[in-house]
Amino acid sequence: MLNDVLSAQDGVITGTQAIACGLSRQQVARRVRSGSWERRAPNVYFVCDREFSDRARVRCAVWGSGAGAAASGMTAAFWLDLEPRLPGILEVTTPRRGRSHALPGTCVRRRNLAFSDVIVRKGVRVTAIALTVLEAAVGAAGGVGVMDRALGRHTSIGALRAAHARNSGRRGSAAAGRLLKAAESGARSEAERIIVRLLTDAGITGWVANFRYGSFVIDVAFPAVRLAIEIDGWAFHSDATAFQSDRHRQNELSRDWTVLRYTWADLVDRPESVLAQIRCRIPH
């Protein structure tokens, strides 16, 4: 039974679970003294015969942060398989009242979460998908991509709106509201305004917005070097017809132009990378 629990929980176990598996407190203490178990947090242990994985890190952070703790933000996005990378600092939300522990490598936010905003996934309390998406989208680099990937597959605008209303006034609430408004419309026009602002602020010249070339209107063009910048809004808005039309348009343009295509997430999360790619293709 003990081995089954450890296998299912990435090598992490609480003292309470160990006792339920038949160990005494003295036996747990002996394992720690011998070095076969490592105490990672109050009443939380890791078995040292395996790699301390990212999922083991999350279990230790949540279980060791106190009663009612839940993974949140990008940490929750990782646990829910909405984001492939675990952030360097893990985010955990704990109730306002009660004892909590700020463990090394964690950021603890004290806030009471609504019942509908918390789920248990693989034995770990975590913010529900809608709230996770909202908080991840404004909480760290790459977060906007979490919202774009989740919409239409894991959640909906309506669910995000409801979670936003339940958590109004929280940290990042205003920014999340602006993202929701943009997502509802597809935000292509706003994405075009962002690329124009990026180019202007970077002092890059030689471009023309909404440049007409034959039957095409290029979002941003550098006519002198035939460089076309094409902007997408949110991926979840694209249907099969629009996707095929965009690819046909790009294939036609590519005969005479170099085409760079960027999404909302590229412009918001990776602006320096976008500008670097453009700079290397235009005269200095």
Side-chain angles (χ1 to χ4, degrees), residues 14-264:
T14 67
T16 304
Q17 291 170 340
I19 290 170
C21 288
L23 296 183
S24 67
R25 295 186 185 278
Q26 292 75 20
Q27 288 174 313
V28 170
R30 279 199 296 272
R31 281 168 166 76
V32 174
R33 284 197 301 270
S34 70
S36 61
W37 285 19
E38 180 181 1
R39 184 177 181 271
R40 284 278 175 167
N43 204 39
V44 178
Y45 306 91
F46 176 69
V47 179
C48 301
D49 62 354
R50 65 201 73 199
E51 178 188 2
F52 188 60
S53 66
D54 284 344
R55 291 197 169 267
R57 274 187 71 202
V58 175
R59 288 186 187 276
C60 289
V62 175
W63 292 347
S65 291
S72 53
M74 290 295 278
T75 304
F78 169 82
W79 193 259
L80 295 171
D81 297 321
L82 302 174
E83 165 62 33
R85 299 172 300 278
L86 187 65
I89 302 297
L90 306 190
E91 181 178 318
V92 178
T93 295
T94 63
R96 290 187 182 278
R97 292 187 176 182
R99 183 175 299 176
S100 63
H101 310 281
L103 303 175
T106 66
C107 172
V108 174
R109 304 196 184 283
R110 297 184 70 91
R111 187 171 94 245
N112 294 331
L113 296 170
F115 177 79
S116 54
D117 285 325
V118 180
I119 60 176
V120 177
R121 181 70 59 86
K122 297 179 182 177
V124 174
R125 282 169 53 87
V126 59
T127 49
I129 288 179
L131 182 57
T132 294
V133 168
L134 285 176
E135 296 191 330
V138 299
V144 173
V146 173
M147 181 181 282
D148 203 11
R149 291 191 297 272
L151 278 165
R153 295 171 54 191
H154 304 289
T155 190
S156 65
I157 288 289
L160 295 185
R161 277 285 177 202
H164 183 62
R166 285 194 301 271
N167 294 272
S168 61
R170 75 189 186 284
R171 179 178 175 273
S173 177
R178 290 191 295 271
L179 278 179
L180 273 174
K181 185 176 180 181
E184 285 176 325
S185 66
R188 183 186 178 105
S189 61
E190 178 59 23
E192 291 174 1
R193 284 193 287 272
I194 291 173
I195 187 65
V196 166
R197 185 166 65 250
L198 288 176
L199 294 172
T200 301
D201 291 348
I204 295 175
T205 59
W207 53 271
V208 179
N210 298 314
F211 180 79
R212 182 167 292 280
Y213 177 73
S215 61
F216 301 111
V217 177
I218 301 171
D219 294 333
V220 176
F222 289 81
V225 292
R226 295 212 167 188
L227 174 64
I229 311 297
E230 292 287 89
I231 305 300
D232 295 321
W234 292 73
F236 80 94
H237 277 283
S238 299
D239 57 26
T241 301
F243 179 86
Q244 187 60 39
S245 175
D246 283 346
R247 294 309 171 270
H248 173 72
R249 166 191 169 95
Q250 180 167 330
N251 289 340
E252 290 295 312
L253 273 177
S254 296
R255 295 178 180 179
D256 304 308
W257 292 68
T258 298
V259 180
L260 297 180
R261 193 171 204 98
Y262 298 110
T263 65
W264 168 282

